[in-house]
Amino acid sequence: MSVRNFFTQQEKEDIILAIKNAELDTSGEIRVHIEETCKGDARDRAAYIFDKLEMQNTEQRNGVLFYLALKNRKFAILGDAGINSMVPENFWDDIRDVMLDHFRGNHFVDGLIEGITMAGQQLKEHFPYQKDDVNELSDEISFGK
């Protein structure tokens, strides 16, 4: 099965809607990247994808990447310098644990949506929407091999 077909069209739309909702009241940016395998450490791979998607180019350095490697059952959440300097030290671990509970029951969409929502709440708190904000990064899910 192609990684692009792991989620149904409706599930993809639900994930994208969660991203749009999470970004509604914030200048923060959230992306989801899904690929089949990750040969090394998921955080290292997520950092590579973060750079490849040019997520570090947001004005306030407040991008968040949710990275999933389906076949290896690996995932990582990576925040840029701006958001990392604002959230509590264990914040990303807390989101990871919530998502992992969903993933263990094969509820990947629910896990992603809850993780995205939690990240969005912190982005709203620390990077509230300004009248001149623009959507700096695509809300679409990106796919690797």
Side-chain angles (χ1 to χ4, degrees):
M1 172 195 296
S2 164
V3 69
R4 291 181 181 276
N5 297 325
F6 182 77
F7 295 117
T8 66
Q9 186 60 37
Q10 183 61 54
E11 289 171 331
K12 290 177 200 172
E13 290 173 15
D14 290 346
I15 293 166
I16 293 167
L17 182 60
I19 293 169
K20 290 180 185 300
N21 286 337
E23 292 180 352
L24 251 176
D25 298 319
T26 179
S27 63
E29 298 289 337
I30 297 173
R31 296 286 318 256
V32 173
H33 181 82
I34 302 169
E35 52 191 21
E36 187 175 347
T37 60
C38 173
K39 293 185 175 137
D41 180 73
R43 287 190 52 80
D44 290 342
R45 181 68 179 160
Y48 172 80
I49 297 297
F50 194 98
D51 184 61
K52 186 176 176 186
L53 294 174
E54 299 182 346
M55 292 184 66
Q56 71 283 1
N57 292 341
T58 60
E59 184 178 337
Q60 296 184 13
R61 301 290 305 264
N62 55 3
V64 177
L65 175 65
F66 289 84
Y67 168 82
L68 280 75
L70 300 173
K71 192 172 186 179
N72 305 97
R73 301 183 69 88
K74 293 181 181 181
F75 75 101
I77 308 154
L78 197 65
D80 205 347
I83 186 67
N84 284 343
S85 69
M86 301 286 192
V87 296
E89 188 175 321
N90 61 343
F91 178 69
W92 303 118
D93 294 336
D94 292 346
I95 292 179
R96 180 201 63 215
D97 293 345
V98 167
M99 291 175 66
L100 188 56
D101 285 342
H102 287 287
F103 291 175
R104 284 184 176 139
N106 288 324
H107 302 287
F108 294 99
V109 175
D110 294 338
L112 274 169
I113 289 173
E114 189 164 356
I116 290 165
T117 301
M118 291 173 73
Q121 290 166 347
Q122 286 294 312
L123 287 167
K124 287 175 193 174
E125 180 178 332
H126 299 294
F127 299 96
Y129 179 82
Q130 305 297 318
K131 64 181 167 96
D132 58 345
D133 278 342
V134 295
N135 192 9
E136 297 177 90
L137 300 174
S138 171
D139 296 334
E140 296 297 313
I141 300 168
S142 64
F143 295 95
K145 294 181 181 184

PDB file of all heavy atoms in Angstrom, residues 86-111:
ATOM      1  N   MET A  86       9.410  28.678  24.457  1.00  0.00           N
ATOM      2  CA  MET A  86       8.223  29.102  25.211  1.00  0.00           C
ATOM      3  C   MET A  86       7.537  27.979  25.988  1.00  0.00           C
ATOM      4  O   MET A  86       6.977  28.222  27.042  1.00  0.00           O
ATOM      5  CB  MET A  86       7.187  29.703  24.257  1.00  0.00           C
ATOM      6  CG  MET A  86       7.677  30.880  23.481  1.00  0.00           C
ATOM      7  SD  MET A  86       7.769  32.285  24.588  1.00  0.00           S
ATOM      8  CE  MET A  86       8.019  33.598  23.418  1.00  0.00           C
ATOM      9  N   VAL A  87       7.551  26.779  25.455  1.00  0.00           N
ATOM     10  CA  VAL A  87       6.786  25.699  26.079  1.00  0.00           C
ATOM     11  C   VAL A  87       7.595  25.036  27.196  1.00  0.00           C
ATOM     12  O   VAL A  87       8.826  25.087  27.189  1.00  0.00           O
ATOM     13  CB  VAL A  87       6.351  24.635  25.045  1.00  0.00           C
ATOM     14  CG1 VAL A  87       5.393  25.235  24.034  1.00  0.00           C
ATOM     15  CG2 VAL A  87       7.532  23.994  24.352  1.00  0.00           C
ATOM     16  N   PRO A  88       6.902  24.403  28.153  1.00  0.00           N
ATOM     17  CA  PRO A  88       7.611  23.681  29.211  1.00  0.00           C
ATOM     18  C   PRO A  88       8.509  22.589  28.623  1.00  0.00           C
ATOM     19  O   PRO A  88       8.248  22.073  27.525  1.00  0.00           O
ATOM     20  CB  PRO A  88       6.491  23.062  30.042  1.00  0.00           C
ATOM     21  CG  PRO A  88       5.252  23.784  29.669  1.00  0.00           C
ATOM     22  CD  PRO A  88       5.453  24.324  28.290  1.00  0.00           C
ATOM     23  N   GLU A  89       9.526  22.226  29.352  1.00  0.00           N
ATOM     24  CA  GLU A  89      10.538  21.278  28.868  1.00  0.00           C
ATOM     25  C   GLU A  89       9.946  19.950  28.395  1.00  0.00           C
ATOM     26  O   GLU A  89      10.382  19.377  27.418  1.00  0.00           O
ATOM     27  CB  GLU A  89      11.552  21.021  29.989  1.00  0.00           C
ATOM     28  CG  GLU A  89      12.749  20.205  29.548  1.00  0.00           C
ATOM     29  CD  GLU A  89      13.766  20.084  30.654  1.00  0.00           C
ATOM     30  OE1 GLU A  89      13.990  21.058  31.383  1.00  0.00           O
ATOM     31  OE2 GLU A  89      14.342  18.983  30.778  1.00  0.00           O
ATOM     32  N   ASN A  90       8.943  19.460  29.091  1.00  0.00           N
ATOM     33  CA  ASN A  90       8.376  18.141  28.762  1.00  0.00           C
ATOM     34  C   ASN A  90       7.161  18.227  27.839  1.00  0.00           C
ATOM     35  O   ASN A  90       6.468  17.238  27.629  1.00  0.00           O
ATOM     36  CB  ASN A  90       8.001  17.409  30.048  1.00  0.00           C
ATOM     37  CG  ASN A  90       6.944  18.173  30.837  1.00  0.00           C
ATOM     38  OD1 ASN A  90       6.705  19.357  30.621  1.00  0.00           O
ATOM     39  ND2 ASN A  90       6.312  17.483  31.765  1.00  0.00           N
ATOM     40  N   PHE A  91       6.902  19.396  27.277  1.00  0.00           N
ATOM     41  CA  PHE A  91       5.678  19.594  26.496  1.00  0.00           C
ATOM     42  C   PHE A  91       5.552  18.617  25.341  1.00  0.00           C
ATOM     43  O   PHE A  91       4.510  17.978  25.154  1.00  0.00           O
ATOM     44  CB  PHE A  91       5.599  21.037  25.988  1.00  0.00           C
ATOM     45  CG  PHE A  91       4.387  21.289  25.140  1.00  0.00           C
ATOM     46  CD1 PHE A  91       3.128  21.287  25.702  1.00  0.00           C
ATOM     47  CD2 PHE A  91       4.511  21.492  23.773  1.00  0.00           C
ATOM     48  CE1 PHE A  91       2.004  21.502  24.924  1.00  0.00           C
ATOM     49  CE2 PHE A  91       3.392  21.703  22.994  1.00  0.00           C
ATOM     50  CZ  PHE A  91       2.139  21.709  23.573  1.00  0.00           C
ATOM     51  N   TRP A  92       6.589  18.485  24.532  1.00  0.00           N
ATOM     52  CA  TRP A  92       6.511  17.600  23.369  1.00  0.00           C
ATOM     53  C   TRP A  92       6.391  16.151  23.798  1.00  0.00           C
ATOM     54  O   TRP A  92       5.715  15.353  23.138  1.00  0.00           O
ATOM     55  CB  TRP A  92       7.705  17.808  22.436  1.00  0.00           C
ATOM     56  CG  TRP A  92       7.826  19.217  21.971  1.00  0.00           C
ATOM     57  CD1 TRP A  92       8.865  20.080  22.191  1.00  0.00           C
ATOM     58  CD2 TRP A  92       6.865  19.974  21.223  1.00  0.00           C
ATOM     59  NE1 TRP A  92       8.599  21.305  21.634  1.00  0.00           N
ATOM     60  CE2 TRP A  92       7.382  21.267  21.026  1.00  0.00           C
ATOM     61  CE3 TRP A  92       5.615  19.678  20.692  1.00  0.00           C
ATOM     62  CZ2 TRP A  92       6.699  22.260  20.333  1.00  0.00           C
ATOM     63  CZ3 TRP A  92       4.930  20.669  19.999  1.00  0.00           C
ATOM     64  CH2 TRP A  92       5.474  21.930  19.827  1.00  0.00           C
ATOM     65  N   ASP A  93       7.014  15.785  24.923  1.00  0.00           N
ATOM     66  CA  ASP A  93       6.885  14.426  25.446  1.00  0.00           C
ATOM     67  C   ASP A  93       5.440  14.140  25.857  1.00  0.00           C
ATOM     68  O   ASP A  93       4.934  13.037  25.644  1.00  0.00           O
ATOM     69  CB  ASP A  93       7.812  14.207  26.643  1.00  0.00           C
ATOM     70  CG  ASP A  93       9.283  14.259  26.265  1.00  0.00           C
ATOM     71  OD1 ASP A  93       9.608  14.017  25.079  1.00  0.00           O
ATOM     72  OD2 ASP A  93      10.104  14.537  27.146  1.00  0.00           O
ATOM     73  N   ASP A  94       4.783  15.141  26.449  1.00  0.00           N
ATOM     74  CA  ASP A  94       3.382  14.962  26.850  1.00  0.00           C
ATOM     75  C   ASP A  94       2.497  14.723  25.628  1.00  0.00           C
ATOM     76  O   ASP A  94       1.627  13.840  25.643  1.00  0.00           O
ATOM     77  CB  ASP A  94       2.882  16.179  27.627  1.00  0.00           C
ATOM     78  CG  ASP A  94       3.546  16.330  28.990  1.00  0.00           C
ATOM     79  OD1 ASP A  94       4.186  15.373  29.467  1.00  0.00           O
ATOM     80  OD2 ASP A  94       3.424  17.424  29.582  1.00  0.00           O
ATOM     81  N   ILE A  95       2.707  15.493  24.574  1.00  0.00           N
ATOM     82  CA  ILE A  95       1.933  15.283  23.348  1.00  0.00           C
ATOM     83  C   ILE A  95       2.240  13.905  22.768  1.00  0.00           C
ATOM     84  O   ILE A  95       1.331  13.180  22.361  1.00  0.00           O
ATOM     85  CB  ILE A  95       2.226  16.380  22.305  1.00  0.00           C
ATOM     86  CG1 ILE A  95       1.680  17.725  22.768  1.00  0.00           C
ATOM     87  CG2 ILE A  95       1.599  16.015  20.950  1.00  0.00           C
ATOM     88  CD1 ILE A  95       1.938  18.870  21.808  1.00  0.00           C
ATOM     89  N   ARG A  96       3.525  13.547  22.735  1.00  0.00           N
ATOM     90  CA  ARG A  96       3.920  12.233  22.215  1.00  0.00           C
ATOM     91  C   ARG A  96       3.189  11.118  22.956  1.00  0.00           C
ATOM     92  O   ARG A  96       2.672  10.180  22.343  1.00  0.00           O
ATOM     93  CB  ARG A  96       5.434  12.054  22.356  1.00  0.00           C
ATOM     94  CG  ARG A  96       5.924  10.693  21.842  1.00  0.00           C
ATOM     95  CD  ARG A  96       7.256  10.297  22.420  1.00  0.00           C
ATOM     96  NE  ARG A  96       7.114  10.159  23.860  1.00  0.00           N
ATOM     97  CZ  ARG A  96       8.071  10.476  24.739  1.00  0.00           C
ATOM     98  NH1 ARG A  96       9.217  10.964  24.350  1.00  0.00           N
ATOM     99  NH2 ARG A  96       7.859  10.315  26.033  1.00  0.00           N
ATOM    100  N   ASP A  97       3.128  11.219  24.288  1.00  0.00           N
ATOM    101  CA  ASP A  97       2.482  10.168  25.078  1.00  0.00           C
ATOM    102  C   ASP A  97       0.992  10.059  24.776  1.00  0.00           C
ATOM    103  O   ASP A  97       0.447   8.962  24.672  1.00  0.00           O
ATOM    104  CB  ASP A  97       2.708  10.421  26.571  1.00  0.00           C
ATOM    105  CG  ASP A  97       4.171  10.276  26.976  1.00  0.00           C
ATOM    106  OD1 ASP A  97       4.962   9.717  26.190  1.00  0.00           O
ATOM    107  OD2 ASP A  97       4.511  10.736  28.086  1.00  0.00           O
ATOM    108  N   VAL A  98       0.324  11.194  24.610  1.00  0.00           N
ATOM    109  CA  VAL A  98      -1.108  11.191  24.268  1.00  0.00           C
ATOM    110  C   VAL A  98      -1.310  10.544  22.896  1.00  0.00           C
ATOM    111  O   VAL A  98      -2.195   9.707  22.712  1.00  0.00           O
ATOM    112  CB  VAL A  98      -1.670  12.634  24.290  1.00  0.00           C
ATOM    113  CG1 VAL A  98      -3.039  12.700  23.633  1.00  0.00           C
ATOM    114  CG2 VAL A  98      -1.734  13.164  25.719  1.00  0.00           C
ATOM    115  N   MET A  99      -0.470  10.937  21.952  1.00  0.00           N
ATOM    116  CA  MET A  99      -0.581  10.367  20.608  1.00  0.00           C
ATOM    117  C   MET A  99      -0.294   8.873  20.624  1.00  0.00           C
ATOM    118  O   MET A  99      -0.987   8.094  19.956  1.00  0.00           O
ATOM    119  CB  MET A  99       0.374  11.086  19.661  1.00  0.00           C
ATOM    120  CG  MET A  99      -0.031  12.523  19.382  1.00  0.00           C
ATOM    121  SD  MET A  99       1.173  13.417  18.372  1.00  0.00           S
ATOM    122  CE  MET A  99       1.046  12.532  16.810  1.00  0.00           C
ATOM    123  N   LEU A 100       0.709   8.471  21.374  1.00  0.00           N
ATOM    124  CA  LEU A 100       1.088   7.061  21.449  1.00  0.00           C
ATOM    125  C   LEU A 100      -0.063   6.203  21.968  1.00  0.00           C
ATOM    126  O   LEU A 100      -0.289   5.093  21.477  1.00  0.00           O
ATOM    127  CB  LEU A 100       2.334   6.892  22.320  1.00  0.00           C
ATOM    128  CG  LEU A 100       2.978   5.519  22.348  1.00  0.00           C
ATOM    129  CD1 LEU A 100       3.340   5.043  20.943  1.00  0.00           C
ATOM    130  CD2 LEU A 100       4.212   5.536  23.228  1.00  0.00           C
ATOM    131  N   ASP A 101      -0.804   6.717  22.944  1.00  0.00           N
ATOM    132  CA  ASP A 101      -1.967   5.976  23.444  1.00  0.00           C
ATOM    133  C   ASP A 101      -2.963   5.698  22.317  1.00  0.00           C
ATOM    134  O   ASP A 101      -3.501   4.597  22.210  1.00  0.00           O
ATOM    135  CB  ASP A 101      -2.663   6.748  24.568  1.00  0.00           C
ATOM    136  CG  ASP A 101      -1.898   6.680  25.883  1.00  0.00           C
ATOM    137  OD1 ASP A 101      -1.028   5.794  26.040  1.00  0.00           O
ATOM    138  OD2 ASP A 101      -2.166   7.524  26.756  1.00  0.00           O
ATOM    139  N   HIS A 102      -3.198   6.682  21.478  1.00  0.00           N
ATOM    140  CA  HIS A 102      -4.091   6.489  20.330  1.00  0.00           C
ATOM    141  C   HIS A 102      -3.471   5.521  19.316  1.00  0.00           C
ATOM    142  O   HIS A 102      -4.149   4.632  18.805  1.00  0.00           O
ATOM    143  CB  HIS A 102      -4.369   7.824  19.628  1.00  0.00           C
ATOM    144  CG  HIS A 102      -5.271   8.735  20.381  1.00  0.00           C
ATOM    145  ND1 HIS A 102      -6.624   8.519  20.514  1.00  0.00           N
ATOM    146  CD2 HIS A 102      -5.016   9.895  21.042  1.00  0.00           C
ATOM    147  CE1 HIS A 102      -7.172   9.486  21.213  1.00  0.00           C
ATOM    148  NE2 HIS A 102      -6.212  10.345  21.547  1.00  0.00           N
ATOM    149  N   PHE A 103      -2.199   5.717  19.016  1.00  0.00           N
ATOM    150  CA  PHE A 103      -1.530   4.896  18.001  1.00  0.00           C
ATOM    151  C   PHE A 103      -1.520   3.422  18.389  1.00  0.00           C
ATOM    152  O   PHE A 103      -1.648   2.557  17.530  1.00  0.00           O
ATOM    153  CB  PHE A 103      -0.102   5.373  17.769  1.00  0.00           C
ATOM    154  CG  PHE A 103       0.014   6.722  17.085  1.00  0.00           C
ATOM    155  CD1 PHE A 103       1.252   7.307  16.912  1.00  0.00           C
ATOM    156  CD2 PHE A 103      -1.104   7.409  16.619  1.00  0.00           C
ATOM    157  CE1 PHE A 103       1.377   8.534  16.279  1.00  0.00           C
ATOM    158  CE2 PHE A 103      -0.996   8.642  15.994  1.00  0.00           C
ATOM    159  CZ  PHE A 103       0.252   9.204  15.821  1.00  0.00           C
ATOM    160  N   ARG A 104      -1.349   3.145  19.676  1.00  0.00           N
ATOM    161  CA  ARG A 104      -1.330   1.741  20.129  1.00  0.00           C
ATOM    162  C   ARG A 104      -2.636   1.034  19.813  1.00  0.00           C
ATOM    163  O   ARG A 104      -2.659  -0.178  19.626  1.00  0.00           O
ATOM    164  CB  ARG A 104      -1.037   1.679  21.624  1.00  0.00           C
ATOM    165  CG  ARG A 104       0.414   1.928  21.934  1.00  0.00           C
ATOM    166  CD  ARG A 104       0.707   1.777  23.410  1.00  0.00           C
ATOM    167  NE  ARG A 104       2.124   1.931  23.649  1.00  0.00           N
ATOM    168  CZ  ARG A 104       2.641   2.598  24.669  1.00  0.00           C
ATOM    169  NH1 ARG A 104       1.844   3.171  25.564  1.00  0.00           N
ATOM    170  NH2 ARG A 104       3.944   2.693  24.810  1.00  0.00           N
ATOM    171  N   GLY A 105      -3.729   1.774  19.762  1.00  0.00           N
ATOM    172  CA  GLY A 105      -5.024   1.209  19.393  1.00  0.00           C
ATOM    173  C   GLY A 105      -5.324   1.365  17.912  1.00  0.00           C
ATOM    174  O   GLY A 105      -6.466   1.187  17.494  1.00  0.00           O
ATOM    175  N   ASN A 106      -4.292   1.693  17.116  1.00  0.00           N
ATOM    176  CA  ASN A 106      -4.438   1.922  15.673  1.00  0.00           C
ATOM    177  C   ASN A 106      -5.390   3.062  15.342  1.00  0.00           C
ATOM    178  O   ASN A 106      -6.026   3.066  14.290  1.00  0.00           O
ATOM    179  CB  ASN A 106      -4.855   0.640  14.942  1.00  0.00           C
ATOM    180  CG  ASN A 106      -3.718  -0.351  14.877  1.00  0.00           C
ATOM    181  OD1 ASN A 106      -2.558   0.026  14.743  1.00  0.00           O
ATOM    182  ND2 ASN A 106      -4.042  -1.631  15.003  1.00  0.00           N
ATOM    183  N   HIS A 107      -5.464   4.045  16.214  1.00  0.00           N
ATOM    184  CA  HIS A 107      -6.283   5.236  15.991  1.00  0.00           C
ATOM    185  C   HIS A 107      -5.358   6.392  15.620  1.00  0.00           C
ATOM    186  O   HIS A 107      -5.189   7.351  16.385  1.00  0.00           O
ATOM    187  CB  HIS A 107      -7.113   5.561  17.236  1.00  0.00           C
ATOM    188  CG  HIS A 107      -8.005   4.442  17.666  1.00  0.00           C
ATOM    189  ND1 HIS A 107      -9.150   4.102  16.978  1.00  0.00           N
ATOM    190  CD2 HIS A 107      -7.910   3.563  18.687  1.00  0.00           C
ATOM    191  CE1 HIS A 107      -9.725   3.069  17.561  1.00  0.00           C
ATOM    192  NE2 HIS A 107      -8.991   2.715  18.601  1.00  0.00           N
ATOM    193  N   PHE A 108      -4.772   6.278  14.436  1.00  0.00           N
ATOM    194  CA  PHE A 108      -3.749   7.238  14.013  1.00  0.00           C
ATOM    195  C   PHE A 108      -4.323   8.627  13.772  1.00  0.00           C
ATOM    196  O   PHE A 108      -3.709   9.630  14.120  1.00  0.00           O
ATOM    197  CB  PHE A 108      -3.021   6.723  12.767  1.00  0.00           C
ATOM    198  CG  PHE A 108      -2.221   5.492  13.047  1.00  0.00           C
ATOM    199  CD1 PHE A 108      -2.718   4.234  12.726  1.00  0.00           C
ATOM    200  CD2 PHE A 108      -0.977   5.578  13.640  1.00  0.00           C
ATOM    201  CE1 PHE A 108      -1.985   3.093  12.994  1.00  0.00           C
ATOM    202  CE2 PHE A 108      -0.236   4.448  13.916  1.00  0.00           C
ATOM    203  CZ  PHE A 108      -0.740   3.205  13.595  1.00  0.00           C
ATOM    204  N   VAL A 109      -5.499   8.692  13.177  1.00  0.00           N
ATOM    205  CA  VAL A 109      -6.118   9.989  12.902  1.00  0.00           C
ATOM    206  C   VAL A 109      -6.444  10.692  14.217  1.00  0.00           C
ATOM    207  O   VAL A 109      -6.140  11.877  14.391  1.00  0.00           O
ATOM    208  CB  VAL A 109      -7.373   9.833  12.025  1.00  0.00           C
ATOM    209  CG1 VAL A 109      -8.085  11.157  11.848  1.00  0.00           C
ATOM    210  CG2 VAL A 109      -6.999   9.251  10.674  1.00  0.00           C
ATOM    211  N   ASP A 110      -7.050   9.976  15.149  1.00  0.00           N
ATOM    212  CA  ASP A 110      -7.380  10.570  16.442  1.00  0.00           C
ATOM    213  C   ASP A 110      -6.123  11.056  17.162  1.00  0.00           C
ATOM    214  O   ASP A 110      -6.117  12.129  17.762  1.00  0.00           O
ATOM    215  CB  ASP A 110      -8.113   9.565  17.332  1.00  0.00           C
ATOM    216  CG  ASP A 110      -9.483   9.180  16.795  1.00  0.00           C
ATOM    217  OD1 ASP A 110     -10.052   9.961  16.003  1.00  0.00           O
ATOM    218  OD2 ASP A 110      -9.984   8.102  17.168  1.00  0.00           O
ATOM    219  N   GLY A 111      -5.058  10.274  17.097  1.00  0.00           N
ATOM    220  CA  GLY A 111      -3.808  10.664  17.730  1.00  0.00           C
ATOM    221  C   GLY A 111      -3.224  11.925  17.115  1.00  0.00           C
ATOM    222  O   GLY A 111      -2.787  12.835  17.830  1.00  0.00           O
TER     223      GLY A 111
END
